[in-house]
Amino acid sequence: MKTEAEALDMIGDHFRRARLAAGLTQEQVADLAGISRPRYRDIETGAAAARATTLINVARALGLEMMLVPQAMVPAIEALLSPQGEDDRPAFSPQAEGDDE
Amino acid sequence: MKTEAEALDMIGDHFRRARLAAGLTQEQVADLAGISRPRYRDIETGAAAARATTLINVARALGLEMMLVPQAMVPAIEALLSPQGEDDRPAFSPQAEGDDE
DNA sequence: AGAATTTGATCCGCAAACATATCTCAGTAG
DNA sequence: CTACTGAGATATGTTTGCGGATCAAATTCT
């Protein structure tokens, strides 16, 4: 496989930290996102790749927003996020580019 | 089911504009992302909610990156992207918050 | 005009996300 | 010790994303 599993892990970790920072339980987030608790758990542990709609709903339930930005702008955005919000780690650092394996 | 369809439509529109800006065909992007052309078409037209991994692969194939950012930072990031923004329209503007429909 | 490319659209089959229910374990309170 | 809560984990069934193949329509090029 590839970076996919790592990406899911990063997403799940991101969600988990945001959830704990918000003081919510898995069930609460799952309910807010409109999914079941076992499924939210799979997402948080990186065991499942949620759908785009589920991803958006979970993110919003946690006070986050999913954005698609040009890769060239990622560093600038990370710099914008790093100093202030210490709870969130930016999403991903595109190691290389473009396609997958 | 309301905002979800719109969100998928926005994602698809975002991808389509990035693809045309890059001068790529649907098949080329699908190949770069490691998915089939009919499926990329579904994503671009908002007919299907891609999985998280697929979403990331497609985004990277188009020179984009998926990020999860605090909703409070969205305006600042959009401001960062708009003025010199090469291609894109930011992702979504969280109209409300928390849960979905 | 015909040929090639790009895109839209459909079907089949499979794999995976999803719901629901259940069970277990760790921790905290009674 | 018992009760409750948050969380990990499994099982069954449904829904749906996905690949592959195939069709037609629109576009462009020679």
Side-chain angles (χ1 to χ4, degrees):
Chain A
M1 315 286 293
K2 55 202 84 245
T3 25
E4 293 192 353
E6 301 173 15
L8 292 182
D9 219 54
M10 276 190 281
I11 294 174
D13 202 51
H14 199 100
F15 281 161
R16 172 178 286 264
R17 258 173 301 158
R19 177 178 64 85
L20 295 177
L24 297 171
T25 67
Q26 290 181 344
E27 190 168 18
Q28 286 173 330
V29 175
D31 191 57
L32 285 171
I35 63 175
S36 64
R37 187 182 67 87
R39 238 30 62 191
Y40 174 74
R41 177 194 156 276
D42 287 348
I43 296 172
E44 218 182 51
T45 58
R51 295 177 193 159
T53 52
T54 303
L55 205 62
I56 294 172
N57 288 334
V58 170
R60 288 185 178 167
L62 291 170
L64 300 173
E65 195 70 13
M66 199 198 78
M67 295 188 70
L68 292 172
V69 301
Q71 291 180 342
M73 299 298 295
V74 172
I77 296 174
E78 290 186 356
L80 189 65
L81 294 174
S82 303
Q84 60 93 33
E86 97 300 306
D87 68 329
D88 89 289
R89 204 110 306 197
F92 323 108
S93 302
Q95 61 283 3
E97 144 57 28
D99 53 335
D100 49 338
E101 47 134 43
Chain B
M1 296 297 244
K2 20 192 77 314
T3 336
E4 296 192 354
E6 301 173 14
L8 292 182
D9 219 54
M10 276 188 280
I11 294 175
D13 202 52
H14 200 98
F15 282 159
R16 172 179 287 264
R17 261 178 285 125
R19 177 177 65 85
L20 296 177
L24 297 172
T25 68
Q26 290 182 344
E27 191 168 18
Q28 286 173 329
V29 175
D31 191 57
L32 285 172
I35 64 175
S36 65
R37 188 184 66 83
R39 241 31 64 190
Y40 174 74
R41 179 196 155 273
D42 287 347
I43 296 173
E44 216 181 53
T45 58
R51 293 176 194 164
T53 52
T54 303
L55 203 64
I56 294 172
N57 288 334
V58 170
R60 288 184 176 167
L62 291 170
L64 301 173
E65 196 70 13
M66 199 197 79
M67 296 188 70
L68 293 171
V69 301
Q71 291 179 342
M73 298 299 296
V74 172
I77 296 174
E78 290 185 355
L80 188 64
L81 295 174
S82 303
Q84 54 182 320
E86 346 224 303
D87 56 342
D88 85 298
R89 193 128 308 230
F92 324 107
S93 302
Q95 60 280 3
E97 138 78 32
D99 54 338
D100 54 335
E101 50 107 41

